Amino acid sequence: MRILYQLLVVLFMMLQGAAGQPFIPRPLEPCILQSGRCFPGICRRPYYWIGTCENGYSCCRRYVEV
């Protein structure tokens, strides 16, 4: 049964390659990995700036009160 799953994975990778799509997905947006959101311009309340997104927008995270 395990061999069947491996063959399905290989078939899936071959089909993606034939369609011209990369079979290795791009890494996730670093802003999303930091629990942030991309906004055009500056971050406004209740968000604060934590970096820059790949598209040039501001990466903002919501304030969390403890």
Side-chain angles (χ1 to χ4, degrees), residues 20-60:
Q21 297 178 352
F23 60 90
I24 300 174
R26 284 183 28 204
L28 292 176
E29 175 85 36
C31 184
I32 296 172
L33 292 176
Q34 298 178 42
S35 302
R37 295 179 57 191
C38 296
F39 290 105
I42 62 172
C43 301
R44 306 224 185 259
R45 283 189 172 169
Y47 295 94
Y48 65 97
W49 187 82
I50 58 173
T52 306
C53 297
E54 291 180 358
N55 57 5
Y57 287 1
S58 296
C59 181
C60 306

Side-chain angles (χ1 to χ4, degrees), residues 8-21:
L8 287 173
V9 168
V10 170
L11 177 65
F12 180 70
M13 289 172 46
M14 287 175 38
L15 288 174
Q16 280 190 329
Q21 297 178 352

